[in-house]
Amino acid sequence: MTMRVHVKVRRFDPDTDQSPWWSEHDLDAEPSDRVLDVLNKIKWEQDGKLAYRRSCAHGICGSDAMRINGMNYLACKVLVKDLGSNITVEPLLGLPVIKDLIVDMELFFEHYRSIMPYLVNNDPVPTKERLQSPEEHERYDDTTKCILCAACTTSCPSFWATGDYLGPSAIVQAHRFIFDSRDQAAADRLDILNQSSGVWRCRTIYNCTSACPKEIKVTKAIGEVKKALLFNRF
Amino acid sequence: MLAQRRRAMPSSNFELYAWFFMRVSGVILLLIAVFHLMLMHASIGVGNIDFDTIAGRWGSPFWRVYDFFLLAFALTHGINGARYVTDDYIHAQGWRVTVKALLYVVYAIFIGMGAYIIFTFKA
């Protein structure tokens, strides 16, 4: 059954706008439509200037994270029927807006690069794959699911307060390598995370866990890194 | 190649110790502050607390040490929390250093005064 929805979108075009403003749209949507479908409809039928990122549209690429009714979601994963007939869409908080729903992700990726997000292993390269038992993989399996959408980091008040904080996503990525039995740079990564801009900025408020579209237990992963530091450095 | 910006290596484990202290002191405070509340406010009663009550209580070294722990844990926990807030929300370095210096001065004065009163008190 088609439903009538009222959509408010936070807009900003640096070429023409002095400050952000809200555009309002009324349209018909299926309850099973995703917010991305609604945004597409607005862009294609009502306002071609509306700007937002999307790529795969199936919750894998992480391009269309945005703030929807006050919570961070992927626009391609949240359904209209779960939001009701009033929908408010804003860009992610804590990162500079480039235009409308598009934010500048550079700071986010700078933090990502700083934790060495690649396998470090200085042993001679084996002729076959580097073997790992299912149990060893299980140790960090949850954090391999991260798609770098930034929903967690931009839901974090510590990150809003200061962009110096590496943020939950970078810590999740570090966790993925720190607990990988094949990796040899855990100590270096723990050094990076042991600074005041690292895990100690986390105030354990669980916004990141609620925001993660891949349902990674982000706060738990951060806690495991804190524990690793505690038992390593004491 | 990705622009790799390695961060400066940390010079200390100070933030680690501070975080661990917050956890431990939180648990200790929960026990000793609640017991203090039950004893002084519920059992004895605020209306019945006078000089003689405190003098009698501080006749025992146990209560002097207990009260000093209450002061030390609560003040350190609180000032460190305020330090976190300062680090999070005051971005101008001059102001941040000033506010933190003030916090440490207040901390030193209150710990000093408290310890002086608790341990030199004579009925």
Side-chain angles (χ1 to χ4, degrees):
Chain A
M1 194 177 69
T2 305
M3 58 193 277
R4 193 79 182 153
V5 290
H6 180 74
V7 186
K8 273 175 73 179
V9 186
R10 185 86 165 160
R11 306 291 294 274
F12 180 70
D13 182 343
D15 290 337
T16 55
D17 299 332
Q18 293 289 320
S19 54
W21 53 284
W22 295 94
S23 69
E24 306 206 15
H25 312 268
D26 291 294
L27 62 152
D28 291 326
E30 296 297 324
S32 57
D33 276 350
R34 305 157 306 163
V35 169
L36 182 61
D37 299 315
V38 171
L39 290 174
N40 283 340
K41 219 167 176 181
I42 293 171
K43 185 176 176 71
W44 296 336
E45 296 171 13
Q46 295 190 13
D47 184 353
K49 285 180 75 182
L50 175 62
Y52 51 93
R53 287 195 182 102
R54 78 271 187 272
S55 264
C56 78
H58 289 79
I60 301 298
C61 72
S63 300
D64 63 352
M66 52 189 78
R67 195 168 147 91
I68 300 166
N69 284 6
M71 297 274 287
N72 284 358
Y73 293 105
L74 296 181
C76 60
K77 274 197 83 174
V78 61
L79 302 182
V80 169
K81 68 176 177 189
D82 295 325
L83 296 170
S85 51
N86 286 305
I87 301 172
T88 305
V89 187
E90 298 162 80
L92 295 172
L93 296 181
L95 291 171
V97 173
I98 295 174
K99 188 184 176 189
D100 294 344
L101 302 172
I102 299 177
V103 292
D104 183 352
M105 302 275 283
E106 184 44 39
L107 180 62
F108 173 81
F109 285 119
E110 186 187 311
H111 290 331
Y112 169 62
R113 289 191 294 268
S114 75
I115 55 89
M116 308 162 66
Y118 39 79
L119 187 83
V120 177
N121 188 320
N122 297 318
D123 293 344
V125 180
T127 50
K128 289 185 179 176
E129 67 270 30
R130 297 179 200 274
L131 285 179
Q132 187 171 56
S133 72
E135 292 74 27
E136 284 170 332
H137 180 83
E138 185 58 33
R139 183 69 193 84
Y140 66 93
D141 181 64
D142 197 39
T143 45
T144 62
K145 298 178 200 157
C146 177
I147 56 172
L148 294 171
C149 68
C152 59
T153 295
T154 58
S155 74
C156 173
S158 296
F159 182 76
W160 298 337
T162 164
D164 286 347
Y165 174 40
L166 290 177
S169 176
I171 300 170
V172 159
Q173 290 291 336
H175 179 285
R176 181 252 169 273
F177 289 100
I178 288 168
F179 295 102
D180 186 334
S181 58
R182 301 163 298 182
D183 186 87
Q184 297 174 340
D188 292 339
R189 293 194 189 86
L190 288 173
D191 269 347
I192 294 162
L193 296 174
N194 193 25
Q195 301 173 59
S196 63
S197 59
V199 287
W200 310 121
R201 287 267 167 168
C202 167
R203 312 287 182 235
T204 329
I205 64 151
Y206 287 90
N207 268 18
C208 49
T209 303
S210 314
C212 180
K214 308 309 284 184
E215 295 172 5
I216 299 171
K217 296 178 186 70
V218 182
T219 313
K220 182 168 178 253
I222 298 172
E224 287 174 359
V225 173
K226 286 174 178 168
K227 249 162 115 181
L229 275 164
L230 187 66
F231 293 120
N232 247 298
R233 306 293 152 102
F234 245 108
Chain B
M1 193 183 135
L2 287 174
Q4 176 64 46
R5 199 179 66 119
R6 277 291 284 277
R7 283 153 181 273
M9 288 295 135
S11 54
S12 78
N13 288 324
F14 177 73
E15 292 295 340
L16 163 63
Y17 298 141
W19 175 82
F20 189 59
F21 171 80
M22 292 302 262
R23 265 64 199 162
V24 173
S25 61
V27 173
I28 293 173
L29 277 171
L30 198 64
L31 298 173
I32 64 176
V34 168
F35 186 69
H36 169 85
L37 190 78
M38 299 297 288
L39 184 73
M40 300 302 282
H41 296 253
S43 176
I44 297 177
V46 181
N48 300 322
I49 296 177
D50 54 17
F51 183 84
D52 292 337
T53 319
I54 305 300
R57 192 172 134 93
W58 279 357
S60 148
F62 172 81
W63 286 114
R64 292 197 191 215
V65 172
Y66 185 98
D67 283 356
F68 179 72
F69 275 171
L70 191 59
L71 169 71
F73 278 118
L75 195 61
T76 314
H77 190 98
I79 292 282
N80 192 45
R83 183 180 71 86
Y84 285 162
V85 175
T86 308
D87 275 340
D88 277 356
Y89 291 103
I90 302 185
H91 298 141
Q93 199 189 358
W95 278 111
R96 194 170 62 237
V97 171
T98 309
V99 170
K100 279 159 80 171
L102 273 173
L103 283 175
Y104 300 149
V105 169
V106 168
Y107 178 73
I109 290 173
F110 277 89
I111 282 278
M113 269 173 53
Y116 179 75
I117 292 166
I118 289 171
F119 293 118
T120 62
F121 176 85
K122 285 192 183 75

